[in-house]
Amino acid sequence: MSSVKHGSENSGRGLSGMWRDCPIAEIKENPNLGFYFFDDFSEAPKIGTTTSEVAVGSKYKCYTKDDGGVTFVDSVNSVRMNGCMALYGGNTDADNGAIVTVAQPVILTGLSASSGKMRFEARIATTQIATNDAQLFVGLGETDVTLADGVPLANTNAVTNTGAFIGFQRNEDGLGVLNTSYSDRATSWTDVSTSEATIAALTFVNVGIKYDPWNATKCISFYRNGVELATGISSSTLTGLTNLDANNLGMVAAIFNDTAGTSSYLYVKCWAMAQLAPGQ
């Protein structure tokens, strides 16, 4: 795996400046400080048949239905990526796919005594922002769920109630708008904002989440291209939930196709998560 690149070093292809104050080197040197995970898919494993949930190497598992697919590509829109994850929504209504990390080391309790500061970021793109397109999601979730048809995403912008999730979600007819949303094991999303993050067709954008248990007003904040969005989640809202604040989370990317004839891709060039030990 490549070493992390952020700030001015990313040349438009790595992580954003939201990582500047994250002690990545110190965490790598002393794992007692927390954990750090980064993948740019330059060493992508082979994916087997996915009629049911299958392992993808040792770090991931995935599921796809019908024409939906999860694969790894070397270029996007004729631009060489040197590794990139691609989720295909298929060309039939309800085709879908998802890939998640097997490990789920993140915990967002809303309390500094039981969870330290956390960051998550992914660099993503999609092929189109048309109507009757596909629901997309990139973020964190309970990855010990069994991936299947409708898990984690389901038809008409629904989400499974077998796990909790938080991140960036695009509705089937959401065009170029990325919602910041969460689900506390519900079948629908709770939107934090539906207007602050955007995405254009075949244009990569960084989307990120910061968690700070010492910040009562904005315990969870969202980022687009390293710039903090205005609306976040308070610690009182987070601790008032039942599952999202109590259960461990891993990284999730998913797509659910809306209608026949739509062929949509969700690309993830790289993603990362890191969290300090409680009290830090």
Side-chain angles (χ1 to χ4, degrees):
M1 302 300 172
S2 300
S3 60
V4 66
K5 299 177 181 178
H6 58 93
S8 60
E9 301 174 357
N10 71 357
S11 300
R13 293 199 176 188
L15 302 180
S16 75
M18 66 173 280
W19 292 82
R20 280 195 171 92
D21 58 347
C22 182
I24 295 170
E26 290 85 350
I27 293 173
K28 287 182 175 181
E29 184 175 343
N30 181 8
N32 291 325
L33 294 177
F35 77 88
Y36 170 73
F37 175 86
F38 172 81
D39 198 351
D40 63 1
F41 309 109
S42 59
E43 300 175 7
K46 181 179 180 180
I47 298 178
T49 304
T50 57
T51 53
S52 61
E53 179 186 277
V54 298
V56 183
S58 61
K59 298 178 181 179
Y60 297 102
K61 61 180 184 176
C62 78
Y63 167 83
T64 61
K65 179 192 176 186
D66 297 334
D67 291 334
V70 177
T71 187
F72 299 96
V73 298
D74 290 323
S75 63
V76 175
N77 197 29
S78 300
V79 177
R80 186 165 179 80
M81 293 285 107
N82 297 315
C84 182
M85 180 169 65
L87 288 83
Y88 178 49
N91 54 17
T92 303
D93 188 17
D95 289 350
N96 60 94
I99 186 167
V100 304
T101 54
V102 174
Q104 42 180 15
V106 170
I107 185 73
L108 309 176
T109 64
L111 304 171
S112 60
S114 52
S115 57
K117 293 180 180 180
M118 187 282 307
R119 284 168 180 76
F120 162 84
E121 190 172 36
R123 185 162 178 79
I124 66 171
T126 186
T127 45
Q128 58 186 11
I129 52 172
T131 58
N132 299 323
D133 200 352
Q135 182 186 183
L136 312 174
F137 175 77
V138 176
L140 300 169
E142 293 183 79
T143 60
D144 56 355
V145 300
T146 299
L147 301 178
D149 185 19
V151 180
L153 300 183
N155 206 13
T156 322
N157 303 315
V159 59
T160 182
N161 61 3
T162 61
F165 302 89
I166 183 169
F168 291 78
Q169 180 261 348
R170 202 277 303 274
N171 285 333
E172 293 172 351
D173 290 342
L175 304 176
V177 176
L178 293 172
N179 302 324
T180 51
S181 308
Y182 67 87
S183 171
D184 193 39
R185 291 195 180 180
T187 57
S188 60
W189 295 100
T190 296
D191 293 326
V192 179
S193 172
T194 59
S195 61
E196 295 179 39
T198 58
I199 190 169
L202 292 170
T203 303
F204 277 91
V205 61
N206 284 43
V207 292
I209 303 170
K210 268 190 183 181
Y211 164 75
D212 183 353
W214 281 274
N215 189 334
T217 303
K218 219 171 185 182
C219 185
I220 294 178
S221 52
F222 299 91
Y223 286 73
R224 179 188 181 277
N225 283 341
V227 177
E228 184 176 353
L229 304 182
T231 309
I233 300 174
S234 68
S235 58
S236 61
T237 296
L238 179 59
T239 57
L241 301 177
T242 303
N243 301 287
L244 187 62
D245 63 323
N247 301 325
N248 286 74
L249 310 174
M251 299 198 289
V252 180
I255 188 169
F256 195 101
N257 198 33
D258 173 47
T259 187
T262 300
S263 299
S264 298
Y265 280 86
L266 169 63
Y267 297 107
V268 182
K269 174 62 193 84
C270 62
W271 58 4
M273 57 180 172
Q275 187 164 25
L276 294 174
Q280 300 183 63

